[in-house]
Coordinates of all heavy atoms in Angstrom, one line a residue:
T289 N 2.3 -24.7 -3.0 CA 1.6 -23.7 -3.8 C 2.6 -22.6 -4.1 O 3.6 -22.4 -3.4 CB 0.4 -23.1 -3.2 OG1 0.8 -22.6 -1.9 CG2 -0.7 -24.2 -2.9
P290 N 2.4 -21.8 -5.2 CA 3.4 -20.7 -5.5 C 3.5 -19.7 -4.4 O 2.5 -19.4 -3.8 CB 2.7 -20.1 -6.7 CG 1.8 -21.1 -7.3 CD 1.3 -21.9 -6.2
A291 N 4.7 -19.4 -4.1 CA 5.0 -18.4 -3.0 C 4.9 -17.0 -3.6 O 5.3 -16.7 -4.8 CB 6.4 -18.6 -2.4
I292 N 4.3 -16.1 -2.9 CA 4.2 -14.7 -3.3 C 4.7 -13.7 -2.3 O 4.8 -14.1 -1.1 CB 2.7 -14.3 -3.7 CG1 1.8 -14.4 -2.4 CG2 2.2 -15.1 -4.8 CD1 0.5 -13.9 -2.6
R293 N 5.1 -12.5 -2.7 CA 5.5 -11.5 -1.8 C 4.7 -10.2 -2.2 O 4.7 -9.8 -3.4 CB 7.0 -11.2 -1.9 CG 7.5 -10.1 -1.0 CD 9.0 -9.8 -1.1 NE 9.1 -8.9 -2.2 CZ 9.9 -9.1 -3.3 NH1 10.5 -10.2 -3.4 NH2 10.0 -8.2 -4.2
I294 N 4.1 -9.6 -1.2 CA 3.3 -8.4 -1.5 C 4.2 -7.2 -1.4 O 4.9 -7.0 -0.4 CB 2.2 -8.2 -0.4 CG1 1.3 -9.5 -0.4 CG2 1.4 -7.0 -0.7 CD1 0.5 -9.7 -1.7
E295 N 4.2 -6.4 -2.5 CA 5.1 -5.2 -2.5 C 4.4 -4.0 -2.0 O 5.0 -3.0 -1.6 CB 5.6 -4.9 -3.9 CG 6.6 -5.9 -4.4 CD 7.2 -5.5 -5.7 OE1 6.6 -4.7 -6.4 OE2 8.3 -6.0 -6.0
G296 N 3.0 -4.0 -2.0 CA 2.3 -2.9 -1.4 C 1.6 -2.1 -2.5 O 1.5 -2.5 -3.6
R297 N 1.0 -0.9 -2.1 CA 0.2 -0.1 -2.9 C 1.0 0.4 -4.1 O 2.1 0.8 -4.0 CB -0.4 1.1 -2.2 CG -1.4 0.6 -1.1 CD -2.7 0.4 -1.7 NE -3.6 -0.2 -0.6 CZ -4.6 -0.9 -0.9 NH1 -5.0 -1.2 -2.1 NH2 -5.3 -1.4 0.1
T298 N 0.3 0.5 -5.3 CA 1.0 1.1 -6.4 C 0.3 2.4 -6.8 O 0.8 3.1 -7.6 CB 0.9 0.2 -7.6 OG1 -0.5 -0.1 -7.9 CG2 1.6 -1.1 -7.4
D299 N -0.8 2.8 -6.1 CA -1.4 4.1 -6.3 C -0.5 5.2 -5.8 O 0.4 5.0 -5.0 CB -2.7 4.2 -5.5 CG -3.8 3.3 -6.0 OD1 -3.7 2.9 -7.2 OD2 -4.7 3.0 -5.3
A300 N -0.6 6.4 -6.4 CA 0.2 7.5 -6.1 C -0.2 8.1 -4.8 O -1.3 8.8 -4.8 CB 0.1 8.5 -7.3
V301 N 0.5 7.9 -3.8 CA 0.2 8.6 -2.5 C 0.8 10.0 -2.6 O 2.0 10.1 -2.9 CB 0.9 7.8 -1.3 CG1 0.7 8.5 0.0 CG2 0.3 6.4 -1.2
L302 N 0.0 11.0 -2.3 CA 0.4 12.3 -2.4 C 1.1 12.8 -1.2 O 0.7 12.5 -0.1 CB -0.8 13.3 -2.7 CG -1.6 13.0 -3.9 CD1 -2.6 14.1 -4.1 CD2 -0.7 12.9 -5.2
A303 N 2.2 13.5 -1.3 CA 3.0 14.0 -0.2 C 2.9 15.5 -0.3 O 3.6 16.1 -1.1 CB 4.4 13.5 -0.2
L304 N 2.0 16.1 0.5 CA 1.8 17.6 0.5 C 2.5 18.2 1.7 O 2.6 17.6 2.7 CB 0.3 17.9 0.4 CG -0.4 17.3 -0.8 CD1 -1.9 17.4 -0.7 CD2 0.1 18.1 -2.1
K305 N 2.8 19.5 1.6 CA 3.5 20.2 2.7 C 2.5 21.2 3.3 O 1.8 21.9 2.6 CB 4.7 21.0 2.1 CG 5.8 20.1 1.6 CD 6.7 19.6 2.6 CE 7.9 18.9 2.0 NZ 8.7 18.2 2.9
T306 N 2.5 21.3 4.6 CA 1.8 22.3 5.3 C 2.5 23.6 5.3 O 3.7 23.6 4.8 CB 1.6 21.9 6.8 OG1 2.9 21.9 7.4 CG2 1.0 20.5 7.0
R307 N 1.9 24.7 5.8 CA 2.6 26.0 5.8 C 3.9 25.9 6.6 O 4.9 26.5 6.3 CB 1.7 27.0 6.5 CG 0.8 27.7 5.5 CD 0.2 29.0 6.1 NE -0.7 29.5 5.1 CZ -2.0 29.2 5.0 NH1 -2.5 28.4 5.9 NH2 -2.8 29.7 4.1
A308 N 3.9 25.0 7.6 CA 5.1 24.9 8.5 C 6.1 24.0 7.9 O 7.2 23.8 8.5 CB 4.6 24.4 9.9
G309 N 5.8 23.4 6.7 CA 6.8 22.5 6.1 C 6.7 21.1 6.4 O 7.5 20.3 6.0
K310 N 5.7 20.7 7.2 CA 5.5 19.3 7.6 C 4.9 18.5 6.4 O 4.0 19.1 5.7 CB 4.6 19.2 8.8 CG 4.4 17.8 9.2 CD 3.4 17.7 10.4 CE 3.1 16.3 10.7 NZ 1.9 16.1 11.6
T311 N 5.3 17.3 6.1 CA 4.8 16.5 5.1 C 3.5 15.7 5.5 O 3.6 15.1 6.6 CB 5.8 15.5 4.5 OG1 6.9 16.3 4.0 CG2 5.2 14.7 3.4
V312 N 2.5 15.8 4.8 CA 1.2 15.1 5.1 C 1.0 14.2 3.9 O 0.9 14.7 2.8 CB 0.0 16.0 5.3 CG1 -1.2 15.2 5.5 CG2 0.3 16.9 6.5
R313 N 0.8 12.9 4.1 CA 0.6 12.0 3.0 C -0.9 11.7 2.9 O -1.6 11.4 3.9 CB 1.4 10.7 3.2 CG 2.9 10.9 3.3 CD 3.7 9.6 3.2 NE 5.1 9.9 3.4 CZ 5.9 10.5 2.5 NH1 5.4 10.9 1.4 NH2 7.2 10.6 2.8
L314 N -1.4 11.7 1.7 CA -2.8 11.5 1.5 C -3.0 10.3 0.5 O -2.3 10.3 -0.6 CB -3.5 12.7 0.9 CG -3.5 14.0 1.7 CD1 -4.2 15.1 1.0 CD2 -4.2 13.8 3.0
V315 N -3.8 9.4 0.8 CA -4.1 8.2 -0.1 C -5.1 8.6 -1.1 O -6.0 9.4 -0.8 CB -4.5 7.0 0.7 CG1 -3.4 6.5 1.6 CG2 -5.8 7.2 1.5
P316 N -5.0 8.1 -2.3 CA -5.9 8.5 -3.4 C -7.4 8.2 -3.1 O -8.2 9.1 -3.5 CB -5.4 7.6 -4.6 CG -4.0 7.3 -4.3 CD -3.9 7.2 -2.8
L317 N -7.7 7.2 -2.4 CA -9.1 6.8 -2.2 C -9.8 7.9 -1.4 O -10.9 8.2 -1.6 CB -9.2 5.5 -1.5 CG -10.6 5.0 -1.2 CD1 -11.4 4.8 -2.5 CD2 -10.6 3.7 -0.4
A318 N -9.1 8.5 -0.5 CA -9.7 9.6 0.3 C -10.0 10.8 -0.5 O -11.2 11.4 -0.4 CB -8.7 10.0 1.4
L319 N -9.1 11.2 -1.4 CA -9.4 12.3 -2.3 C -10.5 12.1 -3.3 O -11.4 12.9 -3.5 CB -8.1 12.7 -3.0 CG -7.0 13.3 -2.1 CD1 -5.7 13.4 -2.9 CD2 -7.4 14.7 -1.7
T320 N -10.5 10.9 -3.9 CA -11.5 10.6 -4.9 C -12.9 10.5 -4.3 O -13.8 10.9 -4.9 CB -11.1 9.3 -5.7 OG1 -11.0 8.2 -4.8 CG2 -9.9 9.4 -6.5
T321 N -12.9 9.9 -3.1 CA -14.2 9.8 -2.4 C -14.8 11.2 -2.1 O -16.0 11.4 -2.3 CB -14.1 9.0 -1.1 OG1 -13.6 7.7 -1.4 CG2 -15.4 8.9 -0.4
V322 N -14.0 12.2 -1.7 CA -14.4 13.5 -1.5 C -15.1 14.1 -2.7 O -16.2 14.7 -2.7 CB -13.3 14.4 -1.0 CG1 -13.6 15.9 -1.0 CG2 -12.8 14.0 0.4
V323 N -14.4 14.0 -3.9 CA -14.9 14.5 -5.1 C -16.2 13.8 -5.6 O -17.2 14.4 -6.0 CB -13.9 14.5 -6.2 CG1 -14.4 15.0 -7.6 CG2 -12.7 15.4 -5.8
E324 N -16.2 12.5 -5.5 CA -17.3 11.7 -6.0 C -18.6 12.0 -5.1 O -19.7 12.2 -5.7 CB -17.0 10.2 -5.9 CG -16.0 9.8 -7.0 CD -15.5 8.3 -6.8 OE1 -15.8 7.7 -5.7 OE2 -14.8 7.9 -7.6
E325 N -18.4 12.1 -3.8 CA -19.6 12.3 -3.0 C -20.1 13.8 -3.1 O -21.3 14.0 -3.0 CB -19.2 12.0 -1.5 CG -19.1 10.4 -1.4 CD -18.9 10.0 0.1 OE1 -18.7 10.9 1.0 OE2 -18.8 8.8 0.3

């Protein structure tokens, strides 16, 4: 059967900075669920 390779998510994962400068990554589904609900 055809061989495939998964490259991973194509959605835009947001990389936001805390006040202290640490990067926090947020997946789109979490943010959209907050707004929708």
Side-chain angles (χ1 to χ4, degrees):
T289 59
I292 61 170
R293 183 181 81 238
I294 305 297
E295 288 189 341
R297 295 279 175 203
T298 58
D299 288 340
V301 174
L302 301 185
L304 299 169
K305 298 276 186 188
T306 66
R307 272 195 183 93
K310 179 183 174 197
T311 299
V312 176
R313 298 192 188 287
L314 300 178
V315 295
L317 182 60
L319 291 166
T320 58
T321 300
V322 168
V323 174
E324 288 170 355
E325 290 182 357

